[in-house]
Structure formats: C-alpha cells, structure tokens
C-alpha cells in the first residue's frame, strides 16, 4: 500500500479514535518511576534491553501500533519518529513526558512526508525528535541528497511550532553483515544536509553514538550497551530550543 493512501486511512482512523474513550497512558508517573521491565537512563525510561522483534514487524503492523498508541497519548508530549532503530528502542518517556514511539522498520524520509504531518496535527506534541536516514544510506537506493533534504525539511516544518531535535544518522560497523549494504559516503553526505536542516528550522542536532564498534548486534541495530549510550545522548533533545509562537498550519 502506498504511504499516501495509508496516511489518508491513518487520518480517518485517528479521527475516529479521538471520539472513543481514552485510557490512561501506559507510562510511569514521573521521570524516575521505573516499570518492572525498564530502567531510567538520563531521565528517559527504557526497556531493560532492545526488542529485536520490533525490527521485523510489517509496515501495516507498525502503523496499527502507532494509531493505537495515539489513543492514549495526551497533547504536549514527545513524538520520537524514525525507523527500526526507533521501533526497537523501547523508550517509554523523555523529559518527564510520555512518548509516542513512531518507528516504522525500513522507512525512509520520503515515507514520512504524508504520514508525519497527520500525526503532528492530531497529537500536537511539545517536542518532536527525528531519528531517520539510515535506510536512505543504502547504496543501492542511490538517494538524491538534495531531494532528501527537501523532503526532510518539509517534514520538520510540518511539526512546527513543536520544539525540534534531529538525531544524526548513526555510525555503522562495516565489518558486520547488517551494514554491508550501507554507504558510509552517503551517510556522511546526508548528515551534512541534516546539519543545515537543523540550523534552518531552529532545531537541535544530536550525535547518537561516537562509534558503532562494540555497540551493535549487526553493524546497525544497537545492543544493550549501544542502546544505553543512544538513549543517554538522545536525552539531550530535552534541551531543544522553543520555536517562535505561531498557530500550527492546517493539514490540507
């Protein structure tokens, strides 16, 4: 199913969901309240270890999970948007606020251009953290950096006036099989574009990991140690600057 069509279906489902009785969010009562299967890392509540199963869910399953989570997501929370790295991260809460974990395995920036704005318009987050781009670094995709930057900037601007944070495309370990298809040159080119996007949108740029060596399972997806380091660095998003006050643009 095309992302544009799914975005339309998603919006309809979201509107219907808003009419149903909301349930209490399944998050802790504060930044230091730990779930039985979780741990606090620099104010972010995470699972004790990454969830490998979350990296293999289908697109439709991921969309369904995001829509279900929106039913219990209050306004002025945090949206963490990305690919399988986000989907399997297990982050429950950041900045003493609940998180809508919007991670779709295999997704690229262009896949969020339609769906992302619908999510932002419905939940009106206080902070949006973008963690995208690793799949755009696949050599075979031959990503156009300029088009990629244009799509990413449009996605980010759709999130305004929410505060914005951007996670750089994480380092890869080319000695591991999971990173074999990725281009280090493309990753660096896209990260250079992302730095400009952050500057132009007033967002905060975050370096996710100093290196991938010893911090991943397959060269891309982090292990327990990598997850801890990733979440520690991710918590810097709480310092993202406020955006100028303005009304959120309607989604047409």
């Amino acid at each position: 199913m095309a992302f544009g069509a799914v975005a339309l279906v998603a919006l309809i489902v979201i509107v219907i969901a808003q009419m149903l009785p909301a349930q209490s969010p399944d998050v802790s009562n504060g930044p230091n309240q730990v779930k039985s299967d979780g741990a606090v890392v620099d104010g972010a509540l995470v699972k004790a270890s990454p969830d490998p199963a979350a990296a293999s869910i289908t697109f439709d399953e991921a969309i369904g999970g995001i829509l279900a989570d929106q039913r219990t997501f209050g306004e002025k929370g945090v949206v963490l948007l990305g690919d399988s790295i986000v989907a399997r991260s297990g982050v429950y809460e950041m900045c003493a606020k609940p998180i809508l974990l919007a991670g779709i395995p295999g997704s690229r920036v262009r896949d969020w251009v339609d769906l992302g704005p619908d999510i932002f318009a419905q939940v009106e987050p206080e902070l949006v953290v973008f963690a995208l781009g690793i799949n755009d670094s696949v050599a075979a995709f031959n990503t156009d950096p300029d088009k990629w930057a244009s799509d990413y900037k449009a996605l980010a601007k759709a999130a305004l006036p929410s505060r914005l944070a951007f996670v750089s495309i994480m380092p890869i370990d080319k000695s591991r099989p999971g990173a074999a298809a990725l281009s280090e040159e493309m990753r660096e080119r896209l990260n250079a574009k992302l730095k400009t996007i952050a500057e132009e949108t007033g967002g905060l740029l975050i370096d996710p990991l100093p290196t991938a060596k010893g911090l991943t399972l397959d060269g891309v997806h982090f292990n327990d140690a990598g997850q801890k380091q990733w979440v520690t660095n991710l918590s810097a998003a709480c310092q993202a600057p406020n955006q100028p006050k303005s009304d959120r643009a309607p989604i047409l």
Side-chain angles (χ1 to χ4, degrees):
M1 183 182 294
F3 261 73
V6 173
L8 178 60
V9 173
L11 181 59
I12 294 173
V13 174
I14 293 169
V15 172
I16 294 174
Q18 299 300 316
M19 301 172 63
L20 299 176
Q23 300 174 358
S24 299
D26 186 21
V27 298
S28 69
N29 294 322
N32 296 316
Q33 300 298 314
V34 184
K35 285 189 173 185
S36 60
D37 63 343
V40 171
V41 180
D42 281 6
L45 187 61
V46 301
K47 291 181 179 177
S49 60
D51 181 5
S56 60
I57 61 175
T58 67
F59 169 76
D60 288 339
E61 289 171 338
I63 290 292
I66 294 170
L67 295 178
D69 288 344
Q70 282 184 143
R71 285 194 56 198
T72 58
F73 184 81
E75 292 183 0
K76 308 308 177 186
V78 178
V79 170
L80 177 55
L81 186 150
D83 43 47
S84 59
I85 294 172
V86 167
R88 70 195 303 278
S89 67
V91 180
Y92 294 133
E93 182 179 288
M94 280 181 61
C95 319
K97 296 180 181 295
I99 278 186
L100 175 62
L101 200 62
I104 300 180
S107 63
R108 301 167 64 187
V109 167
R110 68 181 188 181
D111 297 327
W112 286 99
V113 171
D114 291 328
L115 181 59
D118 289 340
I119 293 175
F120 306 147
Q122 291 301 316
V123 303
E124 298 188 4
E126 193 273 334
L127 169 66
V128 178
V129 183
F130 297 95
L132 286 164
I134 194 68
N135 294 310
D136 293 292
S137 301
V138 173
F141 289 155
N142 195 27
T143 300
D144 179 345
D146 291 332
K147 180 62 166 62
W148 182 88
S150 176
D151 286 345
Y152 209 147
K153 187 174 180 180
L155 175 62
K157 291 180 70 172
L160 296 174
S162 302
R163 294 189 295 137
L164 307 178
F166 302 89
V167 181
S168 295
I169 305 171
M170 61 181 288
I172 56 177
D173 184 352
K174 292 288 285 186
S175 68
R176 306 299 298 277
L182 299 173
S183 166
E184 181 64 29
E185 178 186 2
M186 180 60 72
R187 187 187 75 86
E188 292 178 355
R189 292 177 68 186
L190 297 183
N191 270 338
K193 293 289 187 181
L194 185 56
K195 180 179 179 181
T196 299
I197 293 170
E199 293 171 350
E200 293 179 348
T201 58
L204 178 70
L205 186 64
I206 301 170
D207 288 325
L209 294 175
T211 178
K213 295 289 186 181
L215 297 177
T216 71
L217 298 170
D218 56 6
V220 177
H221 301 97
F222 39 70
N223 56 22
D224 288 1
Q227 183 198 28
K228 182 176 181 180
Q229 182 66 57
W230 188 79
V231 174
T232 296
N233 292 356
L234 187 70
S235 65
C238 300
Q239 305 304 316
N242 291 323
Q243 296 285 342
K245 291 185 177 180
S246 64
D247 293 331
R248 186 179 299 275
I251 303 301
L252 302 177

